[in-house]
Amino acid sequence: MSKIGKKKILIPKEVNLSINGGSIDVKGPFGSKKINLNTNLFEVKISKNNELSIKPKRKNDDIKKMWGMNRSLLNNTVIGVNKGFVKTLEMTGVGYKAAIKDNSLNLQLGYSHGTDFDIPKDVKISVEKQTIINISGLDKQLVGTVASKIKSFRPSEPYKGKGIKEKGEHILRKEGKKK
């Protein structure tokens, strides 16, 4: 049995859910999103006390694996349209700066040239100070993908700690060369 799949999803008052065949439309204050679900494998029910449950129609190992994943996708969508997801990136290094120009994020990362990153349409990026970048959106996967792409331009190095990291992320530091 799937431990995650058994849990029910509490639907807030601000969120509206509608089940149309194999798709579920979720609307909330931050936007709307549509999720496709295989109705041959899973049965989705909304109870009277605003709880969403997902159950498999038949059980085997493959369906048990997908049960928890589909429940997590539905839960993340409900949270995303209600509150949204936010990731904060911190830049550490001399001369490291971030600025937004038109629809792109311009990064100065110690190279001889600036790095431009085109902002996807479903994600909002804001720059606090010049070294803190906030990434927000209603899709958890897209927010995480954008954050990892920006981090890949200058990963944190272990000797001086220079680079881009997530807020609260701990970088294991190494000791330098001894004489």
Side-chain angles (χ1 to χ4, degrees):
M1 294 297 289
S2 173
K3 293 179 183 178
I4 295 172
K6 286 182 194 175
K7 295 181 182 176
K8 295 185 179 186
I9 301 168
L10 184 66
I11 303 168
K13 294 178 183 175
E14 303 87 26
V15 176
N16 294 326
L17 264 154
S18 60
I19 301 170
N20 304 325
S23 68
I24 300 172
D25 296 324
V26 186
K27 293 178 185 170
F30 276 85
S32 62
K33 191 171 178 191
K34 185 177 189 178
I35 292 183
N36 293 322
L37 191 68
N38 191 346
T39 55
N40 296 332
L41 302 177
F42 297 103
E43 181 180 338
V44 179
K45 289 183 182 177
I46 300 173
S47 65
K48 294 177 183 175
N49 51 355
N50 259 0
E51 287 183 338
L52 180 74
S53 64
I54 179 171
K55 292 188 179 177
K57 291 185 177 176
R58 59 184 187 278
K59 293 179 183 173
N60 63 30
D61 287 341
D62 293 332
I63 293 176
K64 285 180 189 177
K65 292 174 190 174
M66 294 188 324
W67 185 13
M69 181 195 68
N70 284 319
R71 189 256 178 211
S72 293
L73 291 174
L74 281 169
N75 189 38
N76 287 340
T77 303
V78 170
I79 293 170
V81 298
N82 189 28
K83 297 177 184 173
F85 293 100
V86 177
K87 288 221 179 215
T88 304
L89 301 179
E90 297 173 337
M91 299 188 330
T92 308
V94 177
Y96 286 20
K97 293 190 277 187
I100 295 179
K101 293 181 181 175
D102 298 328
N103 195 24
S104 66
L105 178 68
N106 183 277
L107 300 167
Q108 300 295 325
L109 300 171
Y111 298 122
S112 61
H113 54 82
T115 305
D116 287 330
F117 176 74
D118 292 328
I119 301 171
K121 66 177 182 173
D122 295 338
V123 174
K124 294 178 187 132
I125 295 180
S126 62
V127 176
E128 281 181 32
K129 303 183 186 177
Q130 290 182 334
T131 58
I132 297 175
I133 303 167
N134 286 327
I135 304 164
S136 61
L138 59 94
D139 188 357
K140 186 175 185 177
Q141 181 181 358
L142 187 60
V143 169
T145 303
V146 169
S148 69
K149 179 68 176 168
I150 292 172
K151 282 171 44 176
S152 73
F153 292 135
R154 189 64 121 172
S156 291
E157 53 98 12
Y159 295 102
K160 292 184 180 178
K162 294 165 75 173
I164 303 173
K165 64 176 184 138
E166 285 188 36
K167 186 174 186 176
E169 181 181 356
H170 180 71
I171 304 297
L172 284 175
R173 302 292 295 269
K174 292 184 180 177
E175 189 175 343
K177 189 164 63 171
K178 293 182 182 179
K179 288 187 180 183

